[in-house]
Amino acid sequence: MIHKSLTELGEALAARKISSVELSRLFLDRIRRFNPALNAFITLDEEKTLAAAKAADERIRTGTAGSLTGIPLAQKDIFCAQGWRTTCGSKMLENFIAPYDATVVQKLERDAGMVSLGKANMDEFAMGSSNETSHFGPVKNPWDTTRVPGGSSGGSAAAVAASLAPVATGTDTGGSIRQPAALCGLTGIKPTYGLVSRYGMIAFASSLDQGGVLAHNAEDCALVLSAMAGFDEKDSTSLDRPAEEYRRALGGTLAGLRIGLPKEFFGEGANAEVMAAIEAAIREFRKLGAETVEVTLPNSRLAVPAYYVIAPAEASSNLSRFDGVRYGYRAPEYDDLVDLYKKSRSQGFGAEVKRRILIGAYVLSHGYYDAYYLQAQRIRRLIAGDFAAAFKECDILLGPTSPTTAFKQGEKSADPVEMYLSDIYTIAVNLAGLPGLSLPCGFDGQGLPIGLQLIGNYFEEARILNAAHGFQQATDWHARRPEGWAT
Ligand code: GLN
């Protein structure tokens, strides 16, 4: 059961070959055995999980189930889920019990009937690329536990990779779904900005934050994305568009698909083994009938610096709500109100979060705003323009997701700039608000998975999912599983 696709699990549930309670128990049992080594889950609540599974079984019994009803999932701990502790990986929210559901939780659990196995570990407030900034300790990569799983959705990625959950939610502000998917051998999709509601998703950088899915293959991503997307009046940036059944788009031919290869993604940046796997994948796409054209994204080299101005600027504003008064961590001792703010924030936030708040406040401050924030916004516009020009020449773009495979725990944590550079291929997509997907396309000499990125034009999730699915029908990289997490 643990290696079955979501479609197969749905069929097994519908045919009563297994109940949702049994299926959930199977995964809970694996979590009990393997989570201590991986630290993928922060919060578990078996009673809640089994109650939800029971309710799902009831829906299946009474004929009111959908295709995902009864299927377990891991929820990134950035999504508020009523009655569940929701920490966002921070001491600030260590004891915060969410009083309401995020729209994503509402849609996947309450409406579609999926069953939450627990809350997945993540970088603190989703700031990080290695899951080492979590207050709850680092997550280990199931392919090699001395290495990072990527971040910030590292708990989600490790959980799915080690089959502790069949699928997980994630969020991607600057690569946080695609990069951990790449480092853990998974398929992950970040949709067009505005497709998935941000209501109840703890805010990091609101103009970039977007929810999505991490799974083993494109078909599973398609199923869950269809269930989580859609207009939400509670999110002012949510887009009013008809819902799409992404799975229906799968299986379409790749013949004639024009794949753009941005020349900036094929320069020096990525390591040789990663590039060799990407080149091999390009040959596979050509075999499937796709054509390739060289395109250029001339401003993409400015994406990392622009992002690390804009995202901290928005974070400094979003995180001002954590003041020790309304909710969250409050310092035990203080002299007066200002001291209460100071101590609660100094003690409640970790080092990376403080760094972002300082950078953000600085770039927005009088005298520096024009030089940094405004300039970064201009670059953002240029980057979006580059993509618009590239999509005149091609249907989708292809390149590496991450410049390296999973790096060692501790390898980059002392050097923030080095860490930020792991986002070099993912971040431009967020700045432009485009959909992006990562899928496995090979392994390096040490047996670590390599991720390939596909980028679509606005609302072309179906097109990149179909391209990924076509590739996965012809290859089996996505079917490989790390050793050591026995069945
Ligand atoms: N590495 C990015 C950052 O630290 C990832 C952010 C994200 O996508 N949540 O900001």
Side-chain angles (χ1 to χ4, degrees):
M1 277 296 161
I2 62 161
H3 294 316
K4 291 207 182 308
S5 71
L6 299 193
T7 304
E8 290 165 336
L9 288 178
E11 286 166 1
L13 286 162
R16 319 282 170 88
K17 291 204 177 106
I18 191 164
S19 70
S20 177
V21 167
E22 287 164 339
L23 190 60
S24 303
R25 283 222 165 94
L26 194 75
F27 284 105
L28 287 176
D29 181 50
R30 293 183 56 76
I31 293 169
R32 218 175 292 126
R33 279 159 66 204
F34 299 122
N35 195 54
L38 294 170
N39 202 22
F41 285 91
I42 299 175
T43 305
L44 297 162
D45 186 334
E46 298 207 355
E47 227 169 86
K48 272 201 178 53
T49 299
L50 294 173
K54 238 174 139 185
D57 282 332
E58 190 58 20
R59 280 178 67 172
I60 295 168
R61 204 181 56 80
T62 56
T64 54
S67 55
L68 293 171
T69 306
I71 298 181
L73 89 165
Q75 287 283 18
K76 182 174 183 178
D77 203 24
I78 198 168
F79 292 105
C80 288
Q82 189 171 23
W84 282 87
R85 183 171 79 135
T86 300
T87 72
C88 217
S90 183
K91 178 176 177 185
M92 191 53 99
L93 292 172
E94 189 163 15
N95 300 308
F96 177 67
I97 309 289
Y100 69 101
D101 281 333
T103 298
V104 161
V105 171
Q106 168 73 37
K107 280 177 169 288
L108 292 180
E109 298 181 34
R110 317 294 168 233
D111 301 347
M114 296 189 83
V115 174
S116 174
L117 293 166
K119 307 298 289 289
N121 204 344
M122 53 180 286
D123 278 301
E124 186 179 6
F125 286 103
M127 298 171 190
S129 310
S130 66
N131 227 291
E132 292 166 299
T133 74
S134 169
H135 172 64
F136 302 91
V139 176
K140 309 294 168 60
N141 189 319
W143 292 91
D144 175 349
T145 52
T146 67
R147 292 175 187 273
V148 305
S152 64
S153 313
S156 300
V160 178
S163 306
L164 306 190
V167 63
T169 54
T171 60
D172 191 315
T173 303
S176 281
I177 289 174
R178 290 161 289 153
Q179 186 254 16
L183 271 44
C184 289
L186 301 177
T187 308
I189 185 164
K190 174 206 100 77
T192 307
Y193 180 81
L195 200 75
V196 169
S197 169
R198 290 184 297 108
Y199 179 74
M201 186 176 118
I202 297 170
F204 163 11
S206 307
S207 77
L208 301 158
D209 296 343
Q210 186 59 200
V213 194
L214 294 103
H216 283 294
N217 57 58
E219 186 180 354
D220 289 356
C221 284
L223 282 169
V224 176
L225 183 60
S226 293
M228 74 198 281
F231 175 65
D232 181 10
E233 60 182 18
K234 298 193 194 110
D235 171 1
S236 63
T237 59
S238 167
L239 295 163
D240 198 355
R241 294 175 56 85
E244 267 185 78
E245 272 299 334
Y246 296 109
R247 189 169 46 161
R248 271 202 220 128
L250 306 184
T253 177
L254 303 193
L257 181 74
R258 288 173 308 155
I259 300 181
L261 307 176
K263 90 173 189 279
E264 293 75 8
F265 287 10
F266 290 83
E268 262 153 33
N271 104 5
E273 282 180 290
V274 169
M275 286 328 290
I278 302 292
E279 294 291 351
I282 293 171
R283 290 195 290 278
E284 186 64 46
F285 274 110
R286 286 202 193 105
K287 261 207 273 174
L288 294 168
E291 297 158 17
T292 53
V293 286
E294 191 184 276
V295 295
T296 169
L297 302 171
N299 295 291
S300 58
R301 67 189 172 85
L302 300 172
V304 168
Y307 170 90
Y308 280 96
V309 168
I310 292 168
E314 294 184 21
S316 73
S317 160
N318 273 327
L319 269 53
S320 66
R321 72 190 65 171
F322 300 102
D323 55 6
V325 176
R326 285 170 289 189
Y327 51 81
Y329 179 83
R330 178 180 300 173
E333 282 169 41
Y334 45 87
D335 299 333
D336 54 20
L337 185 62
V338 172
D339 198 42
L340 163 70
Y341 292 155
K342 265 195 202 160
K343 290 210 171 101
S344 301
R345 288 169 67 82
S346 330
Q347 294 165 18
F349 289 134
E352 183 60 28
V353 174
K354 286 182 200 161
R355 180 178 296 126
R356 305 286 178 108
I357 293 172
L358 288 171
I359 295 172
Y362 179 82
V363 300
L364 287 173
S365 62
H366 182 72
Y368 294 102
Y369 180 94
D370 288 0
Y372 293 100
Y373 185 71
L374 201 63
Q375 200 67 357
Q377 293 288 27
R378 290 196 179 112
I379 292 168
R380 184 175 191 174
R381 176 50 59 98
L382 292 175
I383 286 171
D386 283 359
F387 281 111
F391 283 121
K392 292 206 171 99
E393 318 281 316
C394 63
D395 303 315
I396 65 172
L397 297 168
L398 179 156
T401 306
S402 163
T404 64
T405 54
F407 45 92
K408 290 268 186 194
Q409 304 273 350
E411 190 179 322
K412 299 188 183 183
S413 36
D415 183 349
V417 174
E418 183 67 15
M419 188 71 86
Y420 299 168
L421 285 172
S422 22
D423 304 331
I424 192 155
Y425 299 122
T426 44
I427 266 173
V429 170
N430 300 80
L431 290 170
L434 293 165
L437 176 153
S438 181
L439 72 158
C441 71
F443 289 86
D444 72 4
Q446 304 187 77
L448 300 168
I450 296 171
L452 169 89
Q453 182 174 212
L454 300 177
I455 302 166
N457 210 340
Y458 299 108
F459 306 114
E460 302 220 319
E461 284 77 10
R463 211 194 275 262
I464 52 175
L465 284 164
N466 182 51
H469 181 72
F471 182 84
Q472 292 181 333
Q473 295 301 102
T475 58
D476 73 346
W477 305 116
H478 63 286
R480 313 278 180 96
R481 298 286 183 273
E483 279 170 26
W485 318 104
T487 48

